[in-house]
Amino acid sequence: ETGVTQTPRHLVMGMTNKKSLKCEQHLGHNAMYWYKQSAKKPLELMFVYNFKEQTENNSVPSRFSPECPNSSHLFLHLHTLQPEDSALYLCASSQLGGENTEAFFGQGTRLTVV
Amino acid sequence: GNSVTQMEGPVTLSEEAFLTINCTYTATGYPSLFWYVQYPGEGLQLLLKATKADDKGSNKGFEATYRKETTSFHLEKGSVQVSDSAVYFCALWTYGGSQGNLIFGKGTKLSVKP
């Protein structure tokens, strides 16, 4: 148990569906992240939220829409995805501004777009 | 820009063999350096870290030393076990005011045979 919980663990969705990934951190951190991990590609940072404000969006297509209602919860809303969006989506949290800078990761959501 | 380069895998070793996974980085300032491990079907877990030059991070028999002069953070273990089979990621933490971001290498898959 890392203190970061992601649900669901697995998701299969059609290209016309709308779904959401959820991430919750129990560590009191002030920053949360979405990463995409595809086969044979490096981990890609998608979004960063710092104190609930989005501070980074690495040219992610608009079919991915993040939401951070508070510092403990992070969502990734999905709609009209493509098969190439199939990947492992990892959520992470960290405490910015202090000495301990490591990120803690959830176990990920394995997304398959059919 | 900031980047991390680690050796291409996969690496296949016999049990009790010596492991080295090379990692070099490019960064401005004084980044913190990390090794993360990802076991099959899981998210990333922090393995070890070092926050300043000449620091040695260690955990579970793994070690890595922050070498500023060679901009390296190579991962080593004297005697690997089958249970060490996983993907290993080198990463650096960059600072920008109150923001921080983890930049990952591409990962090195390690397979340990009995």
Side-chain angles (χ1 to χ4, degrees), chain B residues 1-2 4 11 18-19 24 26 39-41 44 46 51 58 62 64 67 77 81 84 90 93 96-99:
Chain B
N2 301 312
V4 175
V11 174
F18 184 85
L19 169 71
T24 57
T26 302
Y39 298 103
L44 275 69
L46 179 67
T51 57
S58 61
F62 291 89
R67 302 285 188 199
K77 186 173 185 180
Q81 305 300 312
D84 294 325
C90 185
W93 183 274
S98 62
Q99 292 182 235

Side-chain angles (χ1 to χ4, degrees), chain A residues 32-34 45-50 53-56, chain B residues 100-101:
Chain A
M32 297 185 76
Y33 310 79
W34 279 117
L45 178 65
M46 300 175 72
F47 301 103
V48 180
Y49 276 84
N50 182 357
E53 299 293 326
Q54 184 174 312
T55 57
E56 191 153 346
Chain B
N101 187 17

Side-chain angles (χ1 to χ4, degrees), chain B residues 48-90:
Chain B
L48 54 84
K49 69 175 183 179
T51 57
K52 60 183 186 295
D54 299 325
D55 268 2
K56 177 186 283 188
S58 61
N59 185 26
K60 298 180 181 180
F62 291 89
E63 292 183 339
T65 301
Y66 190 143
R67 302 285 188 199
K68 193 168 178 8
E69 64 276 13
T70 54
T71 63
S72 65
F73 193 55
H74 304 321
L75 182 69
E76 296 182 336
K77 186 173 185 180
S79 176
V80 293
Q81 305 300 312
V82 173
S83 57
D84 294 325
S85 298
V87 181
Y88 292 82
F89 294 88
C90 185

Side-chain angles (χ1 to χ4, degrees), chain A residues 17-30:
Chain A
N17 291 159
K18 290 185 179 181
K19 296 285 184 183
S20 296
L21 309 185
K22 179 182 177 182
C23 177
E24 184 175 2
Q25 59 99 358
H26 315 278
L27 301 168
H29 289 163
N30 56 18

Side-chain angles (χ1 to χ4, degrees), chain A residues 2 9 33 35 37 41-43 45 48 50-51 55-56 58 88 90 94-108 110, chain B residues 32-34 36 38 40-46 48-51 87 89 93-107:
Chain A
T2 64
R9 289 293 307 276
Y33 310 79
Y35 284 86
Q37 186 177 31
K41 291 181 70 174
L43 275 163
L45 178 65
V48 180
N50 182 357
F51 294 101
T55 57
E56 191 153 346
N58 281 353
L88 181 68
L90 292 165
S94 68
Q95 181 64 25
L96 298 181
E99 292 185 356
N100 292 321
T101 53
E102 66 259 35
F104 292 79
F105 284 81
Q107 292 185 301
R110 173 69 63 184
Chain B
S32 295
L33 301 174
F34 305 85
Y36 280 82
Q38 186 177 32
E42 301 291 326
L44 275 69
Q45 301 174 28
L46 179 67
L48 54 84
K49 69 175 183 179
T51 57
V87 181
F89 294 88
W93 183 274
T94 62
Y95 295 91
S98 62
Q99 292 182 235
N101 187 17
L102 265 180
I103 295 175
F104 286 91
K106 292 185 178 182

